[in-house]
Amino acid sequence: MAKKTKITKAAIFRALGLKAKMKGANCGGEWFADSKDYITSFNPTNGEVLARIEQASSRDYDKVMREARKAFLVWRGLPAPQRGEIVRQVGEALRQKKEMLGALVSLEMGKIYTEGLGEVQEMIDICDFAVGLSRNLSGPTLQSERPKHRMMEQWHPLGVIGVISAFNFPVAVWAWNTALAWVCGDSALWKPSSKTPLCAIACQNIVNEVFAKNDVPGAISNVTIGRGSTIGERLINDKHIPMVSATGSTRMGQRIGGVVGARLGRTILELGGNNAVIISEKADLTGALASAFFGAVGTAGQRCTSTRRLIIQETVYDKFLKKMIANYKKVAIGDPLDSKTLMGPLIDEGAVKDYENAIAAAREQGGKVLCGGKVLKPFGAATFVQPTIIEIDNKAAIVQSETFAPILYVMKYKKIEQAFKLHNDVPQGLSSAIYTDSVNEGEAFLSYLGSDCGIANINIGTSGAEIGGAFGGEKETGGGRESGSDAWKLYMRRQTNTINWGGEVHLAQGVEFHA
Ligand code: UN1
């Protein structure tokens, strides 16, 4: 049961330092912008204007980058555990603001409050993870082939890290990147989604206080809210940004990967998913139902890990879908800050159009709508839709592409090999799951013969990954990995060292070279 909340917009704004009119650039300290080009933040629940923000101009970008580069030179000189101590304080500040920041995520993005809180928890978790990491950014000692030589590997700070994030996780994905970047000794420059600027302003306000208190340059954390065509392009083309971590559509990733790759920069790309759950006849169907339901309906289908396809063994197909449809009919749709609500609005009218177009395309391509399928007009200006289940062939063009909406495609299989084939037969490769009590089926799914995704689970769903694992996927998902495990290495510069402590010169590979 979601926690009851009576949090008002005024209380959220007060707690997080937000106003009706703001400016979109920050490098520690005051907000500024001189573009005279404004964006509006809307509440997707009722279309209400939350705030107007003057976007960062190209000149503002220059100023921020100047500061970010200077801050990097100071920050990289602090011992990593000291950097970790400051990130620990960021985690503490987030704990204190958790309820308000979680509510802001619900207000501006539309996910329900328990998920907004979960998103802030993900930020706190990555801070804790990064604190531990700050004492363990370690490389191995390697065996040299030469006598009295030692080899080792060490990791150095990389520079200013660019972070481009999407609306759907408007705070957590930034934290995954920045908490790691900071303990690694980097400064970070964030271009948040223009659909969720207030979330970005609130995060920067929180960390500004922490950095100021510790007397370190505020420009370790930087924000430029602005147009893709100005700020986004400046950022990806900037040779002073050695690594760009970007979350968004495959099309956007292709552009970013191309531009950053052409200047031989690094990228972490987190792009579209087309995540499926295989439901075997050997599965605990109650568990499968709960996981598939959350995966498909949670966050109104707007996670990159959302469950988009169910591949169900034919003997349990009807029984399973009957229960799933019954659940769908009970979904309470409405204000995400109301504790009774299970599904909030889509982010904007564009998303509603995508939802409608996908359903029309599915029908044209032989799909049968089993439940849902309608935009909810009674909500007026808001962007509510029904969660939808469509029976359709995996080969249908619409099934092959990601629609960021609560549309679930369902299909049957006979033999498990066929399920694996259907599973992998999409261009994307982010998250995947199998529900089965058969050890053999489960192990096969995790083997080279099974899922081709970056994330593969048994008896849990596709969404809601923990921060401790490396997060990301293959194929059109972009190949990036961020968050846990050893993803930190992408935020640092690896150096191989060979030290001769014996005095005599020995050439490798036995080469002789004397005058
Ligand atoms: C995303 O949708 O961009 O695994 C990230 C999950 C979350 C993160 C999703 N921890 O669903």
Side-chain angles (χ1 to χ4, degrees), residues 251-274:
R251 222 182 47 194
M252 181 203 87
Q254 279 162 340
R255 164 94 190 132
I256 294 174
V259 172
V260 180
R263 63 175 175 87
L264 303 181
R266 254 183 232 177
T267 47
I268 299 178
L269 299 175
E270 301 291 347
L271 313 175
N274 196 341

Side-chain angles (χ1 to χ4, degrees), residues 273-277 303-309 429-432 462:
N274 196 341
N275 319 297
V277 182
R303 290 192 190 216
C304 52
T305 53
S306 287
T307 304
R308 310 240 172 257
R309 295 177 298 144
L430 179 56
S431 186
S432 60
T462 60

Side-chain angles (χ1 to χ4, degrees), residues 8-338:
T8 62
K9 175 188 141 189
I12 296 169
F13 270 47
R14 218 175 19 253
L16 300 172
L18 303 173
K19 298 194 195 76
K21 271 192 177 165
M22 280 173 295
K23 290 180 184 277
N26 193 287
C27 45
E30 295 305 311
W31 290 87
F32 56 93
D34 72 354
S35 68
K36 306 276 177 292
D37 179 14
Y38 296 84
I39 50 166
T40 304
S41 164
F42 291 100
N43 176 352
T45 302
N46 54 19
E48 178 199 0
V49 171
L50 294 172
R52 298 241 304 149
I53 294 120
E54 185 172 357
Q55 302 190 89
S57 67
S58 202
R59 243 194 331 268
D60 297 323
Y61 176 89
D62 284 331
K63 175 172 170 185
V64 168
M65 256 318 269
R66 231 179 3 254
E67 293 305 315
R69 290 175 66 199
K70 274 199 278 182
F72 166 66
L73 298 180
V74 176
W75 183 242
R76 70 176 180 178
L78 250 68
Q82 280 184 34
R83 301 194 293 256
E85 163 53 24
I86 296 171
V87 171
R88 187 192 66 75
Q89 293 175 37
V90 171
E92 283 307 303
L94 288 169
R95 281 180 172 88
Q96 278 166 25
K97 303 276 181 180
K98 180 175 172 181
E99 296 199 341
M100 287 301 181
L101 190 56
L104 175 65
V105 169
S106 296
L107 187 71
E108 192 180 36
M109 182 275 160
K111 65 178 71 173
I112 58 172
Y113 186 48
T114 179
E115 292 193 76
L117 290 173
E119 182 166 349
V120 182
Q121 187 57 45
E122 215 167 321
M123 305 172 82
I124 294 167
D125 293 342
I126 195 74
C127 286
D128 288 356
F129 180 87
V131 176
L133 202 57
S134 71
R135 291 185 183 267
N136 197 26
L137 301 166
S138 58
T141 300
L142 304 154
Q143 300 304 318
S144 171
E145 67 190 47
R146 296 179 261 206
K148 298 190 175 169
H149 281 59
R150 183 166 72 83
M151 285 173 70
M152 65 175 192
E153 207 170 85
Q154 54 172 344
W155 295 88
H156 294 304
L158 190 62
V160 183
I161 302 299
V163 181
I164 297 176
S165 65
F167 76 87
N168 67 328
F169 273 79
V171 295
V173 170
W174 167 76
W176 289 358
N177 284 282
T178 50
L180 294 194
W182 291 336
V183 295
C184 290
D186 302 326
S187 54
L189 170 57
W190 184 15
K191 186 210 169 298
S193 164
S194 299
K195 295 173 184 177
T196 48
L198 297 184
C199 286
I201 295 175
C203 288
Q204 178 75 358
N205 284 344
I206 291 170
V207 297
N208 272 351
E209 268 184 41
V210 177
F211 288 136
K213 212 166 58 198
N214 284 279
D215 209 18
V216 289
I220 295 155
S221 182
N222 303 278
V223 179
T224 45
I225 294 164
R227 290 183 183 275
S229 53
T230 49
I231 298 303
E233 287 298 318
R234 288 294 311 273
L235 191 158
I236 62 178
N237 281 287
D238 195 331
K239 66 179 188 333
H240 298 300
I241 297 189
M243 201 275 274
V244 177
S245 174
T247 304
S249 67
T250 294
R251 222 182 47 194
M252 181 203 87
Q254 279 162 340
R255 164 94 190 132
I256 294 174
V259 172
V260 180
R263 63 175 175 87
L264 303 181
R266 254 183 232 177
T267 47
I268 299 178
L269 299 175
E270 301 291 347
L271 313 175
N274 196 341
N275 319 297
V277 182
I278 295 174
I279 298 169
S280 160
E281 76 280 21
K282 297 162 191 149
D284 157 22
L285 291 185
T286 312
L289 184 70
S291 289
F293 181 57
F294 171 65
V297 178
T299 331
Q302 298 173 106
R303 290 192 190 216
C304 52
T305 53
S306 287
T307 304
R308 310 240 172 257
R309 295 177 298 144
L310 291 185
I311 303 165
I312 310 172
Q313 211 278 338
E314 59 180 10
T315 57
V316 290
Y317 185 85
D318 290 336
K319 181 170 149 195
F320 184 83
L321 280 183
K322 206 171 140 199
K323 290 194 175 142
M324 190 74 166
I325 291 166
N327 269 1
Y328 266 57
K329 293 202 165 139
K330 284 191 285 201
V331 172
I333 300 167
D335 182 351
L337 281 166
D338 182 333

